[in-house]
Amino acid sequence: MLASDSAPSTVLLALALALLLLTAGCVTLPSSGPAPSDLEREVTAAEPPDEITATVEVRRTVDGETTQYTDTVWLRADGASRIETGTGDADADTVIVNNGDQRWHYDAAHDWATRLETDPNATPYLEGLYTQQARYFDTYEISAVEETTVDGRDTYHVTFNPPANETVERSISVLIEDTEYVVPLATSERDPAKRSADRVEVWYDQETMFPIKHAIEGDGVTLERTYRNLSVDGGINDERFAFDPATDGNGTDVENVALPSIDSYERLDEATATVPFAVAEPPADAVPETVDRDSITRYEFPDENRTQVSIRYRTPNDETISVTTSDGPRRFATGGDAVTVGTATGTIAETDEGTELQWSCDNRYYSVFASHVVDDGTALRIGESLPTGC
């Protein structure tokens, strides 16, 4: 499912600072910890525990403005999870509960709740988090390793060395099953989309290799996330992963969100034959030479009475471009600044992942997405090239 068509989620949690995405290698430096190569093998071989409970302290400073909040998390290796966000001196402002079959998202401040059937093939958060740690060692150099403690637990403190020109995007986000949790870095849509990263550090719990603390600093941005009161395999009661809107949600109305049906096709004409509209395809000279067509996918959204076909292109480094034609407006559109596409007026916006262009013409709705790395006016150039009649 495309991120822009995913279920709504309040931008609240900083469960992961998922931005370590560049060159590999290890540098052996004097330290009080194991050699980087030994630690890499240990982290790569680590398996997540069955359960983790913790209080997560999140602190971020952007251009001198500091925000901090606390999450309480209960996580199971089988995919069940409960996340409560609040100030710590009152009931949780937000509760997200996933029992493996359904995800509930309750916003107490707005008296709002959604229920979504989850993807049975989704990777459990704990498993995904451990997989992500292995990727860190594949994609960054290590400048130092030392042994220290965090909240009374023995840890390996690893300092990663970001390569030159590494950037922190407008926000740092991680996709956990069907929900995206985001730490905003920019204070407005007018702020720069990229900031350089000068320091990235992770503290690994020696017992479990769990990333008990994470920190990043660069260009006016400082982010820290620390797991405190960490309990491993403490026996979480199954009731913790249940949610009843009549009691837990104070009787709030519930909005059910249905996952779309998804079908893939080898040829564009095969996908076009399944929908009552022409699917716009960009000419070859409008698409960068560095990308190849990767997939053609048809999505049907039963709760929106809408169907779309998306053509996705991909670079060797997994940067993407997608071109989408739909017979209805997206329920959770990105928005952005006004822009002219042919004779139509649309919007263009810088999102967490890249640039997104949207517009409509003759009851058809179009969007073009381009990852930051491949976007240098690409989204607008492709949009203007599409044979839409506008």
Side-chain angles (χ1 to χ4, degrees):
M1 182 169 60
L2 295 175
S4 55
D5 287 304
S6 61
S9 59
T10 306
V11 178
L12 293 170
L13 307 182
L15 291 181
L17 305 180
L19 66 135
L20 308 176
L21 299 171
L22 286 175
T23 59
C26 295
V27 177
T28 303
L29 299 176
S31 70
S32 62
S37 57
D38 293 337
L39 182 58
E40 179 177 2
R41 283 192 292 270
E42 193 169 351
V43 170
T44 301
E47 295 289 339
D50 291 335
E51 299 175 347
I52 277 183
T53 302
T55 301
V56 188
E57 295 179 357
V58 181
R59 178 185 176 90
R60 69 175 183 265
T61 300
V62 181
D63 297 332
E65 183 177 344
T66 299
T67 303
Q68 55 188 26
Y69 55 89
T70 300
D71 298 330
T72 305
V73 301
W74 296 263
L75 307 172
R76 274 186 178 170
D78 63 6
S81 63
R82 184 183 184 97
I83 304 159
E84 297 182 358
T85 299
T87 59
D89 56 3
D91 293 337
D93 299 319
T94 302
V95 178
I96 299 176
V97 180
N98 193 332
N99 64 9
D101 297 319
Q102 294 180 332
R103 181 187 64 83
W104 290 91
H105 185 151
Y106 172 59
D107 185 341
H110 298 90
D111 195 29
W112 170 77
T114 60
R115 178 175 58 198
L116 175 70
E117 300 295 325
T118 58
D119 182 356
N121 298 315
T123 300
Y125 171 58
L126 276 179
E127 179 183 338
L129 186 57
Y130 274 73
T131 300
Q132 191 176 55
Q133 303 313 308
R135 286 175 47 228
Y136 294 172
F137 289 87
D138 288 338
T139 55
Y140 267 81
E141 286 189 346
I142 296 174
S143 60
V145 178
E146 62 179 351
E147 296 187 33
T148 184
T149 61
V150 174
D151 199 40
R153 298 185 71 94
D154 293 333
T155 65
Y156 297 122
H157 175 198
V158 182
T159 301
F160 293 95
N161 183 28
N165 302 320
E166 166 67 324
T167 58
V168 179
E169 303 296 345
R170 180 183 303 276
S171 68
I172 296 171
S173 62
V174 63
L175 190 65
I176 300 174
E177 297 185 353
D178 47 63
T179 305
E180 187 178 26
Y181 299 96
V182 181
V183 184
L185 300 183
T187 55
S188 76
E189 287 298 322
R190 301 293 181 182
D191 284 345
K194 296 184 178 181
R195 302 169 183 262
S196 64
D198 301 322
R199 177 179 63 90
V200 176
E201 300 176 70
V202 183
W203 287 255
Y204 294 101
D205 175 49
Q206 292 187 19
E207 178 186 347
T208 62
M209 290 297 116
F210 184 81
I212 196 171
K213 185 176 180 179
H214 223 140
I216 181 170
E217 182 177 346
D219 271 6
V221 175
T222 302
L223 296 170
E224 273 194 10
R225 181 204 61 201
T226 305
Y227 286 78
R228 300 197 181 277
N229 307 311
L230 183 69
S231 175
V232 178
D233 295 338
I236 305 173
N237 192 308
D238 288 340
E239 293 182 359
R240 182 68 66 181
F241 305 111
F243 184 86
D244 184 349
T247 55
D248 302 317
N250 297 318
T252 187
D253 291 335
V254 176
E255 178 182 13
N256 291 306
V257 180
L259 289 174
S261 61
I262 304 174
D263 296 294
S264 298
Y265 300 88
E266 292 292 330
R267 303 198 317 268
L268 185 59
D269 60 346
E270 294 175 338
T272 301
T274 68
V275 294
F277 52 83
V279 178
E281 180 182 19
D285 59 0
V287 180
E289 294 180 356
T290 56
V291 302
D292 294 313
R293 194 162 75 180
D294 179 64
S295 64
I296 301 170
T297 310
R298 175 184 179 273
Y299 300 81
E300 185 172 354
F301 299 87
D303 58 338
E304 299 180 38
N305 191 28
R306 180 174 70 84
T307 303
Q308 74 176 43
V309 174
S310 295
I311 308 169
R312 178 167 294 186
Y313 304 83
R314 190 178 299 275
T315 72
N317 295 324
D318 286 336
E319 299 296 332
T320 60
I321 294 173
S322 64
V323 180
T324 298
T325 307
S326 177
D327 59 2
R330 289 187 298 179
R331 188 175 184 179
F332 306 104
T334 302
D337 297 324
V339 65
T340 299
V341 186
T343 59
T345 298
T347 60
I348 192 167
E350 292 292 329
T351 71
D352 303 323
E353 294 79 25
T355 301
E356 181 144 8
L357 172 68
Q358 304 173 105
W359 75 101
S360 63
C361 175
D362 294 335
N363 296 318
R364 295 291 176 260
Y365 297 80
Y366 305 93
S367 69
V368 179
F369 169 83
S371 297
H372 285 303
V373 173
V374 296
D375 182 59
D376 54 356
T378 298
L380 187 57
R381 183 170 64 253
I382 290 177
E384 291 175 336
S385 76
L386 295 181
T388 63
C390 293

